[in-house]
Structure formats: C-alpha cells, structure tokens
Amino acid sequence: MQNNVLILDFGSQYTQLIARRVRELNIFCEIKPYNHLPDDLLEYKAVILSGSPFSVRSEEALHPNLDGIKGKIPLLGVCYGAQYIAHFHGGNVAPSKTREYGRARLATIKEGEPFFRNISAGSQVWMSHSDTIQKLPEGAELLASTEDVENAAYKIADEKIYAIQFHPEVYHTTDGKQLLENFLVGIAGLEQTWTPDAFVETTVASLKREIGDDKVILGLSGGVDSTVAAVLLHKAIGNHLHCIFVNNGLLRKNEFEEVLEQYKHMGLNVKGVDASARFLDALAGEEDPEKKRKIIGGIFIDVFDDEAHKVEDAKWLGQGTIYPDRIESVSASGGPSATIKSHHNVGGLPDYMKLKVVEPLKMLFKDEVRRVGATLGIADERLGRHPFPGPGLAIRILGDVTREKVTILQEVDAIFINGLREWGLYDDVWQAGAMLLPVHSVGVMGDERTYEKCVALRAVESTDGMTADWVNLPYEFLQKMSNDIINKVPGVNRVVYDISSKPPATIEWE
C-alpha cells in the first residue's frame, strides 16, 4: 500500500474529517502527529497541515519541522497550517478585529487559478478562527477573499504551497471536496486509485507475506469489523485462521447462539467460548467506566491466551481495529489530541502472551469497512448490522454491573432494536441501543407506587462514528417503545430519549 497523502495533526476537531474527504476522492491518506513525522517523507505525494485550537502567536504554538516538506512536496495549510506558514515565513498573524467563525462566502477569486477550478465567487465556506493573516508570507500571491477576511487563500507558487483560512473538510464548505481534488489531483498529481477492490487485493497479498503459514486466532464479535477482518484473513490464509466467539455475558439477548449459527454458513472456522461468569465476576462492584473497559479487555486477553494454547503453533492474534479506534485512543504527548476513551481493540498485549497482533482494517473508517465487506461478498444483513461496543452492555450499564442489570438491559434493548426493524427504521439509524441509568424514579402502576429504574434510548446517524447526530424518531414509535418497555420489563418505570450529538457528547454514555 502506497502512502499517498500525509495529514499532520495539530489537534483540530476536524482533522479526521480531512482524512474522510481525501478518502472519498479515492486517495489514500493517513494522519500523524505534527511532532512525529515519518522517516521518509518522500513516500508522500502531498502534505496537509490541519487546523488547531492553538494560536501561532502564543507561547504554546505547535511548531512542526517543515524542512523536509517545504518546497519539496506539495503542501496545503488549513487554518492553523495556513497561519503558521504565513507567520513564520515573512508574514504576520494578528488577532481578528471581526468574528471569523461560521459561514462566509468567497467574494473574490483569482481568475484562472487551478486551485479554484470549478469554484465560483459566492461559494460558501466555513470559518473557525480568532486570528487572521494580516500580511502574506514572502513570495505569496493572494488567491481569494471573503467580505471580512482579505487573505482567505494564498499560494507560494515556487514551493507548491497553498493555504486557506477556512475548512474545506466540513459539509458547510459547499465546494470543499472540489478544492481538495484540485489540490491533490490537479496540483499534486495524485491518482485516484484507493478503492475497495484495490484494498482487498493489496491487503490479502500483504497478509500472505506477513503471516505465511502461521496460525492466527481472531476474536469474532458478530459485528461488521471483526467479520470483515475474519473474511480478509481467511481469504489470505484459509484454515490457518482460528476464530473464537466469546460470550462475555454482556451481549445482546440471544446473540451468542444466533451469531454462531450465522457464522456456520460463512465457511469460517469458529469456536464458541462461554466465559460469561468469568467476566461478570471480575466486574462485580466496579463503577469506573475506564476500569470496566480495562477489566473486560484483560479477561478477553486471558481467554484468548487459554484458547491459544489449544491451537498448536498459534503465532498471531487478529483484531478488527479500525482507524477511528486508533485516532481516539492515541494521545498527544505523541500528538496534540487528548485521549477520549480507551478502545477494546487498542493497547497491545502483555509480555506473557506470545502472540503478535495483525490488524487488517486498522487504516479504514467504518463506511470503508462496509464497502470492503461488500467487495468480499459478505451479506448485506451482516454489513448493515449496527455497531456494538466491544465491552458490550457493561458500558451501557452506568455504574456497577450485575447479572440482574444485564438481564433488564437485554430485554429493553431487544424491544428497542426489534421495534426499529418492525417499523422499518433500522436501516435509517447508524447505531442504536439502550442505557440503564443509575437512577430510580417514582412511578405509579395500577394503584401502587413504584420506585424503579430509568432507561435511556439512543439512536444516531453517522458516516463513520467520528461525528454523529441524534435521529428524530417518530413520536408514535417512541411512545410505543416506552409503553412496551415499561409494561414488559420488570424493574423499569421510566424511559427517556437521548437527543445529544457527537460532539460534544459521545455515542456511548461510558
């Protein structure tokens, strides 16, 4: 796989969206922290500098080493990147006198400029900064302005440097994808060859070289990621792949039996392991969400270690890690982004476990995983399955986890998910589930006062999980779900619906 585009991350909330837009152009890219540059920069055909919450004028300004990039590789600076190039190369950045946040329109564009091919004056862009470029850097030429921002875009032609003070990656910038294509294809000369077919071909060949005749153990969850990872590995190494589906006691209602039955028809070598008591006993009394994740991850590793000893000469542990897992779990002491939460697929193995890790999907976003799955011939029913967290219902039960709480939440979740299917809403939702809250509330059922549990229903729409909006489900549907849950699930007397988007909230509550 050729690493075509390098995106240097300065901590912007939009950095992952830059990568998404580049991938949508069928061009491969990867994100690296601004202060951890790859050794061989000439492997890349273009570099993009992201935005940042920091100011180039402050003592905390983030300083990348551009010596191996500037003038050698086509470079695009976005917001902070544009201001950094200007401020430290002969220009000047100062606090803006007018608010430069939100929608704006390009008032003037340099005629005949390839960077703005098929983009006209009046095109909407999205601003998000408190500083502005007052003076362009040495050798720079103005390309575009808005009514309030004179230096909205510029270039240093001799060094193939382009810079913009708006975000082309967000949907509010209507011609943002065209602008990125103009830079990457028209100026940097990249070919648009990053497709699911190409990924399957190169990944299978790479897996064959990397693994050879070794045996691989892979943990299946029933979800899209682990299923696609398993089929990719099976295509590469055949029966040398040994799949394990662990019942951690935190799955959806009847999921262990149903998923095992479904995998029988896919030609995969799958063994079911019921370790539910082991997980639930280890979680007893623990309320901290991070510690719950770590406990579950630790038990998973122990279970795999036990099973690995039953597979003679197993050398590898396969995982369905995808790119957002890695982005959200790696933090900026290696880069500027803070850790949001740990992911069950990320973090390495203990020394005593002598298995190497193979992650065939580690550079893909969720929607790309689904497209690769379709290329591999996996059924739409499996690919359309909603994401489900690796720690399972443990992070949808706020506070400590007990068998009673798991049973209650399984029943609530089954009513909600089956209801979405029956009402024809399931495929309109990217992810849905129920949360059991550490709250009791007063209710009246019949002539009796009750003091029982509250559950929250959550349904979001998204492309890849990096951002998400709550789904405006019909009131009639929500009324039906509330009635069914309260009437059919003992111990629950109140149902609420979560109308928070990501950001600022996350999809899961823990």
Side-chain angles (χ1 to χ4, degrees), residues 48-291:
I48 299 175
L49 308 183
S50 82
S52 175
F54 297 94
S55 167
V56 299
R57 300 178 298 103
S58 73
E59 294 181 1
E60 292 79 28
L62 308 179
H63 295 278
N65 181 358
L66 300 180
D67 292 346
I69 299 172
K70 195 169 176 286
K72 300 174 183 176
I73 307 170
L75 175 64
L76 172 62
V78 176
C79 285
Y80 181 91
Q83 294 176 358
Y84 186 89
I85 294 167
H87 197 62
F88 294 101
H89 295 90
N92 182 54
V93 171
S96 176
K97 295 179 181 178
T98 59
R99 184 173 181 267
E100 296 179 4
Y101 181 84
R103 293 174 177 84
R105 295 192 179 275
L106 296 176
T108 61
I109 296 175
K110 181 178 182 250
E111 188 174 349
E113 170 54 47
F115 187 49
F116 282 94
R117 184 179 65 85
N118 293 333
I119 301 175
S120 303
S123 179
Q124 180 178 283
V125 296
W126 182 263
M127 300 282 189
S128 181
H129 51 85
S130 56
D131 291 343
T132 194
I133 299 171
Q134 285 192 338
K135 177 186 174 186
L136 293 177
E138 293 177 3
E141 179 182 357
L142 179 64
L143 298 183
S145 305
T146 69
E147 288 186 6
D148 295 321
V149 181
E150 180 183 1
N151 299 312
Y154 67 88
K155 71 176 180 181
I156 305 176
D158 293 345
E159 297 183 307
K160 280 197 175 179
I161 291 176
Y162 292 78
I164 50 179
Q165 287 200 92
F166 55 87
H167 288 275
E169 68 274 18
V170 302
Y171 285 113
H172 305 299
T173 298
T174 51
D175 292 313
K177 188 174 178 181
Q178 179 66 57
L179 190 78
L180 289 171
E181 182 176 355
N182 291 344
F183 172 69
L184 295 171
V185 179
I187 293 168
L190 284 152
E191 296 180 3
Q192 295 169 279
T193 57
W194 172 250
T195 64
D197 286 337
F199 175 82
V200 170
E201 182 180 345
T202 56
T203 301
V204 168
S206 174
L207 290 170
K208 286 180 177 178
R209 287 193 304 271
E210 186 177 15
I211 297 170
D213 294 327
D214 292 347
K215 294 179 181 177
V216 178
I217 297 174
L218 181 136
L220 286 172
S221 68
V224 176
D225 302 337
S226 66
T227 300
V228 174
V231 174
L232 262 177
L233 282 162
H234 186 262
K235 190 175 179 68
I237 64 173
N239 290 332
H240 287 268
L241 174 66
H242 296 258
C243 298
I244 301 167
F245 180 39
V246 176
N247 181 7
N248 59 8
L250 303 162
L251 302 174
R252 285 178 157 144
K253 184 179 179 181
N254 299 328
E255 187 168 24
F256 185 57
E257 296 78 13
E258 291 174 0
V259 169
L260 281 176
E261 184 63 28
Q262 290 169 350
Y263 280 132
K264 282 183 181 178
H265 306 291
M266 296 182 64
L268 298 174
N269 177 19
V270 183
K271 178 182 179 182
V273 178
D274 187 353
S276 53
R278 193 168 172 179
F279 282 88
L280 292 171
D281 289 346
L283 286 167
E286 183 55 67
E287 297 184 357
D288 182 83
E290 260 314 281
K291 290 180 180 177

Side-chain angles (χ1 to χ4, degrees), residues 441-445 450-454 486 491-495:
S441 68
V442 174
V444 178
M445 300 184 75
T450 62
Y451 190 60
E452 295 180 330
K453 298 184 185 299
C454 174
I486 291 172
V492 175
N493 70 354
R494 191 176 298 270
V495 177

Side-chain angles (χ1 to χ4, degrees), residues 6 82 87 118 157 174 177 295 321 336 353 372 374 378 393 406 431 454 463 467 469 485 488:
L6 172 64
H87 197 62
N118 293 333
T174 51
K177 188 174 178 181
I295 288 170
T321 313
M353 193 172 182
V372 167
I378 299 173
L393 298 180
V406 171
Q431 184 170 348
C454 174
T463 300
T467 60
D469 289 321
I485 289 167
K488 295 178 181 179

